[in-house]
Amino acid sequence: MSEQIEGQEEDAIPRWYVIQCKGGESFRAAEHLDNQGYEILHPVLEVQRKRRQRLVWVAEPLFPYYLFIRLDRLASNWRPIRSTRGVLKLVTFGDEPLAVDDALVETLRQHPAGETREASNVYFRAGEPVEITEGPFRDLQAVFASQKGEERAIVLLNMLHKQQRLEIPIAQLRPRT
């Protein structure tokens, strides 16, 4: 009898579980679950992406297709989760929902990945060979020297038997393969 009571007490303690989302819909799932009153953790990472020939900062999920939800087995209503827009399923091991270690979730909460957005370039490192894709120097090979601001780069280009420093839009560079 006491084992049954202990099991019920353990079931009443809220735990973190993993939800698998439909492709590209983790933000939608997180929003809808939050609107329904569930406690959600959807860690995101700020990354630079090329959009319309410009580098822009965008938020992407740290764990694509997954988010965390805090539930207890007794008081929480689990039924609406399945039919929430963007949700594919609750991750299970056999027929049992898979609880995530609280320490892992706490670490993700204390150190949000998106908080440390830097103005550093995520594509190129100093000394890396690059190719210029647009403009008068198109198809020439250069060496990435540094980033200047958020949208410009300094490259070293061999011209007239000498390395010349050239400042160009960073969107006009691609890694040399």
Side-chain angles (χ1 to χ4, degrees), residues 90-105:
L90 192 65
V91 176
T92 60
F93 187 74
D95 289 336
E96 290 293 313
L98 182 63
V100 177
D101 185 14
D102 288 341
L104 170 67
V105 174

Side-chain angles (χ1 to χ4, degrees), residues 29-102:
E31 178 184 356
H32 285 268
L33 289 166
D34 185 56
N35 289 343
Q36 294 174 52
Y38 292 105
E39 186 177 353
I40 299 297
L41 177 62
H42 186 226
V44 294
L45 180 65
E46 294 280 332
V47 296
Q48 279 185 316
R49 292 286 179 233
K50 200 172 184 179
R51 302 267 197 262
R52 297 182 187 166
Q53 303 301 320
R54 294 184 58 183
L55 285 175
V56 296
W57 288 99
V58 296
E60 290 188 355
L62 185 59
F63 304 105
Y65 307 106
Y66 296 95
L67 54 88
F68 301 93
I69 186 168
R70 189 174 175 108
L71 302 165
D72 73 62
R73 291 167 132 329
L74 298 179
S76 296
N77 187 358
W78 294 54
R79 283 192 204 114
I81 296 170
R82 243 186 6 208
S83 58
T84 300
R85 291 187 69 167
V87 171
L88 184 61
K89 66 181 180 179
L90 192 65
V91 176
T92 60
F93 187 74
D95 289 336
E96 290 293 313
L98 182 63
V100 177
D101 185 14
D102 288 341

Side-chain angles (χ1 to χ4, degrees), residues 91-131:
V91 176
T92 60
F93 187 74
D95 289 336
E96 290 293 313
L98 182 63
V100 177
D101 185 14
D102 288 341
L104 170 67
V105 174
E106 193 56 37
T107 300
L108 290 170
R109 291 181 105 164
Q110 288 177 0
H111 305 288
E115 251 183 27
T116 58
R117 179 169 115 172
E118 299 174 1
S120 65
N121 183 290
V122 295
Y123 291 119
F124 309 109
R125 300 193 192 289
E128 182 179 344
V130 294
E131 184 177 335

Side-chain angles (χ1 to χ4, degrees), residues 92-169:
T92 60
F93 187 74
D95 289 336
E96 290 293 313
L98 182 63
V100 177
D101 185 14
D102 288 341
L104 170 67
V105 174
E106 193 56 37
T107 300
L108 290 170
R109 291 181 105 164
Q110 288 177 0
H111 305 288
E115 251 183 27
T116 58
R117 179 169 115 172
E118 299 174 1
S120 65
N121 183 290
V122 295
Y123 291 119
F124 309 109
R125 300 193 192 289
E128 182 179 344
V130 294
E131 184 177 335
I132 301 171
T133 60
E134 298 174 32
F137 301 105
R138 181 183 182 152
D139 297 329
L140 292 180
Q141 297 179 359
V143 175
F144 183 83
S146 64
Q147 185 169 345
K148 185 173 183 182
E150 287 189 28
E151 297 183 13
R152 302 202 53 86
I154 307 285
V155 296
L156 303 175
L157 187 63
N158 281 325
M159 290 179 14
L160 305 172
H161 305 289
K162 187 176 174 188
Q163 274 195 338
Q164 303 290 331
R165 292 174 58 87
L166 179 67
E167 182 179 327
I168 63 172

